[in-house]
Amino acid sequence: MADGDITLELPTMRVSYDQGALTEAELAATWHEQLQGWLDAAKRAGVAEPNAMVLATADSDGKPSSRTVLAKGLDERGLVFFTNYTSAKSHDLLATRYASATFPWYAMHRQATIRGTVEKVSAAETAEYWAKRPRGSQLGAWASPQSIVVNGRATLDAALANVERRFANSETVPVPPHWGGWRIQPEVVEFWQGRQDRMHDRLRYQQTRDGAWRVQRLGP
């Protein structure tokens, strides 16, 4: 085996999950309180960007895509992230109105997955979050032709420079008309805790037809 050839090591690479268990008695009364609790725990544990989640979407032909985004809102209505409305992910969401997102807290041997329909957040909610973004991030949202093929890095740098000149004398940067938030409105939220011998704990909040929620244990 070549020195450092990780490809040949893949079949034997594994970790023993021994950082805890998850029981029905430990769960919060609601899915969003449970998710907030795990987000708080990940932050306390020093997990880098504990609000990072892998967002999965599919286009109108059912072809899936995934990427990492940051969760920026959480309450009983759902989970919110912000993006360019002309991006590939937004085109998918407009076509299917459905998404799944997973928080992979590897260091804690935990993950949480939320799946459901999506809706755009209100302009007021977008504006409230926009005001909290650093100015550089605001300018970048104006400059970036997200998901569009560009000629090179110089094209992006030139676009940002143009935007910087455009708003140089403005104390505040307005929200771009093509930018805003999406809310995943969950139908299913699963909490996964790694256990030894691959006998993991999987507890799922499942929404019923009448809008109520029930907790179910799934086999690992």
Side-chain angles (χ1 to χ4, degrees), residues 36 39 49-53 69-75 77-83 103 121 125-126 128-130 132-134 137 179-183:
Q36 184 64 63
L39 281 164
E49 293 197 305
N51 60 325
M53 61 185 189
V69 299
L70 298 178
K72 292 297 182 178
L74 171 64
D75 58 26
R77 296 172 297 170
L79 186 67
V80 175
F81 66 93
F82 292 86
T83 188
F103 293 89
V121 306
E125 193 169 350
T126 292
E128 180 180 3
Y129 168 68
W130 177 262
K132 299 175 183 177
R133 285 170 65 89
S137 295
W179 193 93
W182 286 100
R183 176 179 289 107

Side-chain angles (χ1 to χ4, degrees), residues 10-169:
L10 288 177
T12 60
M13 294 176 67
R14 63 180 63 246
V15 172
S16 178
Y17 298 137
D18 55 6
Q19 292 201 25
L22 179 63
T23 67
E24 288 82 349
E26 297 174 55
L27 289 181
T30 64
W31 70 267
H32 55 91
E33 291 173 311
Q34 180 65 31
L35 183 54
Q36 184 64 63
W38 272 24
L39 281 164
D40 292 342
K43 181 180 179 181
R44 290 194 302 269
V47 173
E49 293 197 305
N51 60 325
M53 61 185 189
V54 179
L55 174 71
T57 60
D59 65 16
S60 56
D61 294 323
K63 295 177 181 178
S65 299
S66 61
R67 76 290 287 164
T68 300
V69 299
L70 298 178
K72 292 297 182 178
L74 171 64
D75 58 26
E76 69 280 358
R77 296 172 297 170
L79 186 67
V80 175
F81 66 93
F82 292 86
T83 188
N84 189 315
Y85 283 145
T86 65
S87 66
K89 71 177 81 65
S90 286
H91 282 301
D92 286 355
L93 296 174
L94 286 168
T96 67
R97 295 289 175 171
Y98 211 82
S100 176
T102 296
F103 293 89
W105 299 301
Y106 302 118
M108 303 179 72
H109 303 167
R110 280 180 174 178
Q111 65 180 16
T113 299
I114 179 172
R115 184 174 78 245
T117 58
V118 299
E119 66 174 3
K120 287 184 177 180
V121 306
S122 67
E125 193 169 350
T126 292
E128 180 180 3
Y129 168 68
W130 177 262
K132 299 175 183 177
R133 285 170 65 89
R135 184 179 180 88
S137 295
Q138 294 176 337
L139 295 173
W142 275 97
S144 172
Q146 196 172 94
S147 304
I148 302 300
V149 175
V150 296
N151 291 330
R153 180 69 204 192
T155 301
L156 298 176
D157 293 340
L160 180 59
N162 287 336
V163 170
E164 289 173 337
R165 287 191 293 271
R166 176 180 177 181
F167 295 109
N169 297 321

